[in-house]
């Protein structure tokens, strides 16, 4: 089955840029979705189809996808961005094609 | 505004059945452009998809291999809700259970999630 690899943690100071990676075999051929999950809350979709933002998500959130790595970028990080971030794709080799990454915890210093 | 409201017990004894319901407001469970899902989360398994139901001229359900044989997802169009039943639970079924909408217009992303129901399997 298809595997998505995310680093366990990222730390960044306020107003700096946070970068989250999601590694997968030839992931650039897939549509990648990103979710933000704050402590005690449900996940929220922040980027879909590599680089589109749902209504209500700030422009500070952006995504890209190339080669074997998809990337979520948060510019001008705020304390309220502290959360876990998960990537997700659909892959024909996985159970019902759904794959989630293990998530990356963002700590705002 | 679309909202998913979850209900069901948070504590279930081993070998008993877990039942959860997701009530939809702002959309229809019979909307043919979306898929309704149950997903659970635990420290050991991360986010784990359990099953789905959707309407495409008729009702369809699909289940994850990991729970196949123990899971049933049903819909109630009169109440605009869908439900999960997981039979013969064990402590490994402990986790946070979410209902979520998969939206075909957003490249099959999960664009709306319920608040989650923490479930503990313990005697």
């Amino acid at each position: 089955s298809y595997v998505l690899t995310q680093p366990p943690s990222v730390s960044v100071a306020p107003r700096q840029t946070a970068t989250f990676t999601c590694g997968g075999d030839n992931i650039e051929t897939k549509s990648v979705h990103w979710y933000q999950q704050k402590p005690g809350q449900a996940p929220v979709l922040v980027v879909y189809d590599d680089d589109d933002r749902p209504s209500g998500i700030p422009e500070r959130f952006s995504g890209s996808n190339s080669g074997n790595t998809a990337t979520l970028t948060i510019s001008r990080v705020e304390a309220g961005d502290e959360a876990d971030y998960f990537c997700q794709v659909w892959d024909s080799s996985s159970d019902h094609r759904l794959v989630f990454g293990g998530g990356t915890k963002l700590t705002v210093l | 505004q679309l909202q998913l409201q979850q209900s069901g017990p948070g504590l279930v004894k081993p070998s008993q059945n877990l039942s959860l319901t997701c009530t939809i407001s702002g959309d229809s469970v019979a909307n043919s452009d979306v898929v309704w899902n149950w997903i659970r989360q635990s420290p050991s398994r991360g986010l784990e998809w359990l099953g789905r139901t959707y309407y495409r001229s008729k009702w369809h359900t699909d289940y994850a291999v990991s729970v196949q044989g123990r899971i049933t997802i049903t819909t109630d169009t009169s109440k605009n809700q869908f439900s999960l039943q997981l039979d013969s639970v064990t402590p490994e079924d402990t986790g946070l259970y979410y209902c979520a909408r998969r939206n075909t217009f957003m490249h099959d992303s999960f664009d709306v999630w319920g608040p989650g129901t923490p479930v503990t399997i313990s005697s």
Side-chain angles (χ1 to χ4, degrees):
Chain A
S1 61
Y2 194 79
V3 176
L4 294 175
T5 301
Q6 297 185 252
S9 63
V10 164
S11 298
V12 66
R15 297 178 297 281
Q16 299 304 304
T17 297
T19 301
F20 304 84
T21 59
C22 177
D25 184 34
N26 210 21
I27 197 172
E28 69 178 357
T29 63
K30 305 184 185 304
S31 177
V32 181
H33 313 309
W34 291 91
Y35 303 88
Q36 174 196 66
Q37 185 177 31
K38 295 182 179 180
Q41 298 184 20
V44 172
L45 180 68
V46 293
V47 165
Y48 68 97
D49 192 28
D50 298 341
D51 57 8
D52 283 328
R53 278 187 312 279
S55 173
I57 300 300
E59 291 184 6
R60 301 186 298 107
F61 289 78
S62 62
S64 63
N65 189 6
S66 178
N68 294 317
T69 304
T71 303
L72 171 70
T73 302
I74 309 175
S75 58
R76 303 182 300 282
V77 165
E78 304 172 356
D81 297 329
E82 193 161 274
D84 292 324
Y85 292 84
F86 298 90
C87 56
Q88 179 248 312
V89 301
W90 298 93
D91 177 80
S92 59
S93 69
S94 301
D95 182 18
H96 289 88
R97 305 186 302 113
L98 173 60
V99 186
F100 280 107
T104 298
K105 180 174 179 55
L106 171 64
T107 299
V108 181
L109 301 172
Chain B
Q1 182 181 356
L2 173 62
Q3 285 189 325
L4 304 179
Q5 188 171 4
Q6 298 181 220
S7 58
L11 179 63
V12 181
K13 290 180 167 45
S15 79
Q16 293 190 343
N17 299 338
L18 165 66
S19 294
L20 300 173
T21 295
C22 184
T23 301
I24 303 161
S25 58
D27 196 355
S28 169
V29 71
N31 182 351
S32 59
D33 293 319
V34 301
V35 177
W36 304 101
N37 300 265
W38 286 101
I39 296 169
R40 71 181 175 188
Q41 185 176 30
S42 65
S44 59
R45 300 185 177 205
L47 286 164
E48 178 187 14
W49 175 80
L50 298 177
R52 65 186 180 190
T53 185
Y54 57 99
Y55 185 76
R56 302 289 186 271
S57 301
K58 66 176 184 178
W59 288 101
H60 300 263
T61 54
D62 297 288
Y63 304 123
V65 170
S66 61
V67 292
Q68 184 84 37
R70 294 198 297 133
I71 187 173
T72 305
I73 294 177
T74 56
T75 58
D76 186 336
T77 55
S78 67
K79 296 180 180 178
N80 206 30
Q81 60 188 204
F82 63 106
S83 299
L84 163 76
Q85 179 173 311
L86 189 62
D87 298 335
S88 305
V89 297
T90 72
E92 288 193 353
D93 294 311
T94 293
L96 200 48
Y97 285 70
Y98 294 101
C99 56
R101 184 180 79 168
R102 172 182 148 191
N103 192 337
T104 58
F105 289 128
M106 296 176 74
H107 290 263
D108 292 313
S109 59
F110 296 99
D111 68 332
V112 182
W113 296 64
T117 300
V119 174
T120 300
I121 310 300
S122 174
S123 54

